[in-house]
Amino acid sequence: MPRRADRRGAAYHRGMSRYARSERQALADLMLALGPDAPTLNEGWVARDLAAHLVVRERRPDAAGGILLPPLRGYAERVRLRVAALPWAELVAQVRRPPVWSPLSNPLTDELVNTMEFFIHHEDVRRATPGWQPRDLPAGLHAVLWKRAAPLARLALRRFPASLLVQAPGHGEVRCGRGGEAVRLVGAPGELTLFLSGRQRAARVQLDGATATVERLRTAKLGL
């Protein structure tokens, strides 16, 4: 008979959002296939560094605050480096199966906080590999990503000196920016998510506007 903790864990994973879970599993599979030294879109990080970041985010609440809070950054990085030293298969297994108690990945929060997170990091590994092509995403995942991308656009572009129209054909549009010259940013929800999270060069989007302003947007520091 399975132990009680095992039964709880199995029930937990069945209850995870299908998109958050599928992106998580696909990322774990890709990491195992490519190895710990595979490049990523995250500057200075290989796959091992990214995996350690994800493990700390979900399993080390004492250090996870350092992801956003500068005073805790040094401690968080020391913890991340210790986690990164784990055997590769063990590290990826921890990415694949987060703990039941994690405030970021339990059934109540998983879809809200992890669908976009794991989509982005899955693409961080995919798009750092030569020959990558955009995936044909399910319509439901497009819809979920647009729900996240619209408020992200308002936040990430709130200080950008232009009048920006961000459009996801078939899903919606949002106006943002500080005002000024008109710029239009068009793409599928997944591509907009990557662009707005600071991966502009890897995102396949259409940008319309003055050349200098468009180039400034392509190189701006975006994301949270």
Side-chain angles (χ1 to χ4, degrees):
M1 178 179 292
R3 291 179 300 172
R4 181 176 300 176
D6 293 338
R7 293 197 298 270
R8 285 201 304 265
Y12 159 66
H13 288 288
R14 286 196 300 272
M16 290 175 71
S17 153
R18 60 175 175 155
Y19 296 125
R21 185 179 184 186
S22 64
E23 291 300 305
R24 180 191 294 273
Q25 300 306 315
L27 173 58
D29 290 344
L30 184 59
M31 284 179 163
L32 284 180
L34 296 180
D37 297 320
T40 77
L41 296 182
N42 306 96
E43 186 175 355
W45 276 9
V46 295
R48 182 182 291 279
D49 297 299
L50 177 56
H53 158 77
L54 292 169
V55 169
V56 170
R57 173 180 172 271
E58 292 182 327
R59 294 173 178 265
R60 290 296 302 266
D62 60 314
I67 296 171
L68 296 175
L69 302 175
L72 299 177
R73 226 159 258 172
Y75 173 67
E77 181 62 6
R78 290 192 296 274
V79 172
R80 190 190 67 78
L81 290 173
R82 288 199 297 272
V83 171
L86 291 170
W88 180 234
E90 180 181 342
L91 185 58
V92 175
Q94 290 193 22
V95 172
R96 188 186 298 278
R97 295 187 67 83
V100 170
W101 50 262
S102 175
L104 295 180
S105 55
N106 63 69
L108 295 178
T109 62
D110 186 53
E111 181 177 1
L112 178 64
V113 302
N114 284 327
T115 301
M116 185 170 74
E117 178 83 7
F118 277 87
F119 169 79
I120 289 172
H121 289 316
H122 185 194
E123 294 299 322
D124 280 339
V125 179
R126 288 188 72 255
R127 298 189 185 210
T129 303
W132 70 270
Q133 291 294 327
R135 289 182 287 155
D136 185 13
L137 300 180
L141 180 54
H142 276 301
V144 170
L145 290 174
W146 175 245
K147 287 181 181 178
R148 309 289 186 268
L152 178 59
R154 294 188 182 95
L155 182 61
L157 299 172
R158 66 191 184 282
R159 295 193 179 94
F160 192 80
S163 295
L164 290 144
L165 176 62
V166 180
Q167 295 179 312
H171 296 274
E173 62 182 41
V174 60
R175 295 184 182 275
C176 47
R178 206 169 62 196
E181 192 171 84
V183 175
R184 189 168 70 114
L185 170 60
V186 185
E191 301 301 321
L192 293 174
T193 297
L194 293 169
F195 189 97
L196 295 165
S197 65
R199 284 113 172 131
Q200 294 101 305
R201 294 296 182 185
R204 294 193 174 178
V205 299
Q206 175 186 335
L207 272 168
D208 300 317
T211 301
T213 306
V214 165
E215 184 57 26
R216 182 175 179 179
L217 182 56
R218 285 194 184 277
T219 58
K221 187 175 181 180
L222 301 181
L224 300 177

